[in-house]
């Protein structure tokens, strides 16, 4: 599975392929059946926005029905997305810094470094809200470009082809 993800620029960083496998492997037997893969692929291609965001959140957290996304996992997600987009589109010097990722995580969660001594986690609800309304979040994932870095043929809408 990991080798096939090289097509998407995921050969150097195993974070996303490993997390995808963990979430796609519904029965947890360590083998991905065609049925499991087809179900996940159907959500990615034809799922509702809510289903896609839930799947994306679970992949970032590394488990189905995840309760939260840690800062460490969020940092690894951003790093992996930056590397993937850099290998697929064009290398960019505007990769998100660790400080920017940390600030973004805490902006999204609305929490400081710790909440009552417990580790702060990003909830599914805050993840969805950020994906739907935070340009910084989308830019950190490589899904939004400033006008200078936007690939030719793309409109201002995230990833939407400009057909007009």
């Amino acid at each position: 599975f990991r080798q096939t993800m090289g097509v998407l620029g995921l050969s150097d960083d195993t974070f996303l392929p490993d997390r995808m496998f963990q979430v796609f492997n519904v029965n947890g037997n360590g083998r991905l059946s065609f049925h499991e893969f087809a179900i996940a692929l159907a959500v990615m291609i034809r799922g509702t926005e809510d289903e896609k965001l839930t799947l994306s959140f679970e992949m970032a957290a590394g488990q189905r029905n995840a309760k939260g996304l840690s800062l460490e996992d969020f940092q690894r997600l951003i790093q992996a997305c930056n590397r993937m987009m850099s290998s697929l589109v064009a290398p960019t010097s505007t990769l998100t810094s660790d400080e920017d990722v940390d600030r973004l995580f805490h902006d999204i969660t609305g929490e400081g470094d710790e909440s009552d001594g417990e580790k702060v986690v990003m909830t599914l609800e805050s993840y969805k809200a950020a994906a739907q309304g935070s340009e910084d979040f989308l830019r950190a994932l490589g899904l939004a470009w400033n006008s200078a870095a936007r690939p030719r043929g793309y409109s201002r809408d995230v990833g939407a082809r400009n057909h007009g």
Side-chain angles (χ1 to χ4, degrees), residues 81-83 85-87 89-96 142 145-146 149:
C81 287
N82 274 288
R83 277 191 287 278
M85 292 306 290
S86 185
S87 71
V89 181
T92 174
S93 61
T94 60
L95 298 179
T96 309
W145 298 276
N146 62 33

Side-chain angles (χ1 to χ4, degrees), residues 1-2 4-5 8 10 14-46 51-66 84:
F1 183 80
R2 202 181 287 155
T4 62
M5 293 294 101
L8 299 176
L10 298 174
T14 62
F15 179 77
L16 286 175
D18 288 349
R19 294 300 176 93
M20 290 169 76
F21 183 86
Q22 290 169 351
V23 173
F24 292 5
N25 182 221
V26 175
N27 65 11
N29 67 354
R31 298 169 113 161
L32 191 59
S33 71
F34 178 77
H35 185 257
E36 290 169 324
F37 181 73
I39 289 171
L41 193 59
V43 169
M44 291 178 4
I45 294 172
R46 299 200 179 259
E51 290 169 332
K52 290 175 183 179
L53 287 172
T54 299
L55 182 64
S56 168
F57 178 80
E58 290 174 342
M59 286 190 290
Q63 62 182 338
R64 288 195 167 274
N65 303 311
M84 178 182 67

Side-chain angles (χ1 to χ4, degrees), residues 81-155:
C81 287
N82 274 288
R83 277 191 287 278
M84 178 182 67
M85 292 306 290
S86 185
S87 71
L88 288 175
V89 181
T92 174
S93 61
T94 60
L95 298 179
T96 309
S97 72
D98 290 342
E99 294 81 22
D100 289 340
V101 174
D102 187 64
R103 177 194 49 78
L104 180 60
F105 178 85
H106 293 295
D107 286 351
I108 292 169
T109 62
E111 302 284 340
D113 288 340
E114 288 190 8
S115 178
D116 298 328
E118 292 185 27
K119 247 184 165 177
V120 175
V121 295
M122 184 183 302
T123 64
L124 174 60
E125 292 73 29
S126 58
Y127 182 88
K128 287 178 182 179
Q132 294 168 332
S134 171
E135 188 77 15
D136 288 341
F137 180 72
L138 297 175
R139 192 173 296 111
L141 291 173
L143 299 174
W145 298 276
N146 62 33
S147 58
R150 184 178 304 125
R152 235 178 84 205
Y154 278 77
S155 73

